[in-house]
Amino acid sequence: MPSLQILMIASEAVPFAKTGGLGDVAGALPAALARLGCGVTLAVPRYRGVAGGTPLTRFPLTVGGRTLEVGFVEHPLADGARAVLVDCPELFDRPELYGVGNADYPDNAFRFAAFTRAALEFAARHDLHVDIVHAHDWQAGLAPVYVRTLYANHPELARAALVFTIHNLAYQGLFPPHWLPALDLGWDLFGIEGLEFWGKVSFLKAGVNFSDRLTTVSARYAKEIQTPEYGCGFDGILRRRADRLVGILNGIDTAVWDPATDPHLPEPYDADRLDRKRSSKRALLEAVELPSDDQALARPLVGMVSRLVEQKGFDLLEKLGERLLALDASFVLLGSGEPRFQDQWQALAARAPSRVAVRIGFDEPLAHLIEAGADLFLMPSRFEPCGLNQMYSLRYGTVPVVRATGGLDDTIVNWSPRTGRGTGFKFADTTPEALLAALRKALEVYRDPSAWRSIQLQGMACDYSWDASARHYEKVYENAIRARTKRP
Ligand code: ADP
């Protein structure tokens, strides 16, 4: 098969913008596909503060009768892969990506519809010979609809196969129906087989219903989202399309997340020099102003880097409250999110300032230092489509304690003292007690240095690089092309 040309559309991508796992994936997948011989153009909005790049073109774009002046700026990503940043300051030159605090920008429907249109129009005008339009999450969910409506007669785009990836089903891009005409979408699309979801327009549903193939980010999550418990109201819709849905585990960027080369660590380490991990622990304790004497260094340190929301299990931790302080462990938390969880953790830190440190905010260097300096990494998620931090933790010899859901269940092997096999500790029930029991068990094993070292080394030997995942995506693209040829 000749090399595939892929237009990827994502609302965030490292190194340009990131609020979560989507940014990591969209930043790494294009280069991994390019290594397999694919040609990839990744469209991302040009948010505030993103500089540089080569200007390619500008043209006016009319969406719902409103004309925007849009520029396109190229950044090479790898041999065969490039990012094209969509420059439209009135939509994207704002303090945050999606909204300020917990309030979304009121024009998000327009912002991301216009971004998607701009990406497609760029491809349409520049003869990219696109074989695949691969859209990610609700922000790009209208891409397959626009390809099938506005570009239905375009000689190139109309024959592209359409792939949509769900990174998190909980974010559904729901807007009042009056947006339809403002986004050039006909009322005929406002039906149960189209974009309508309980009286609203859902961009996510657009992606699900109009694509040739659907993917999500772990095999376990692909199954879970077809159940009422995890389906967020979409389980029936997904069950009907189960034959075209597959789970592909995200990889991690092994160049960025490598304790042997990580510039954020005081001293590099790897499986052969694991003792040097201790310098990262000391540096982390110092960085967050916890004691770093011998006694503190000997005490197990639990790290967390997370959005502070219920999805990540922060309500379970909230219920444990001060029971966490009864454990012989210290805690470092980096994250931001719901004020109630921020307050709770700040109160815990005030109560036990020598054992709990909290940093509210987004801090990439500190995230690296936590991965390296902590002994355990806690992810008690209620649901977790894939999760990246547990894979970073494995690589950094930091033992994950996770709830057995989604990608956490697929990537962590529960430690068994009987077989001596395992890379972490898992619990099944969504209860504070189950979480506490798993933490207790992990802390008990921590006191057995040879067992602990064995768990660390088994984790460090895992390979979650992008290459295997990219090969899976390539298969999905080939299947999507076959499905496209059968579509009317
Ligand atoms: P999600 O996308 O649901 O937030 P993932 O585990 O898939 O969760 O990805 C989260 C990514 O964002 C990881 O790379 C993690 O290190 C990073 N991250 C989350 N919160 C912060 C923070 N406060 N500071 C730095 N990095 C963060």
Side-chain angles (χ1 to χ4, degrees), residues 18 20-21 24 305-307 312 334-335 361-363 367 387-389 392:
K18 163 175 159 179
D24 289 303
V305 179
S306 183
R307 293 183 289 119
K312 301 291 181 181
L334 166 65
F362 197 92
D363 185 339
L388 294 168
N389 279 304
Y392 302 151

Side-chain angles (χ1 to χ4, degrees), residues 126-147:
H126 289 81
D127 294 334
L128 295 190
H129 305 295
V130 172
D131 299 298
I132 302 286
V133 174
H134 184 175
H136 294 264
D137 269 356
W138 74 262
Q139 290 90 342
L142 293 180
V145 180
Y146 284 143
V147 169

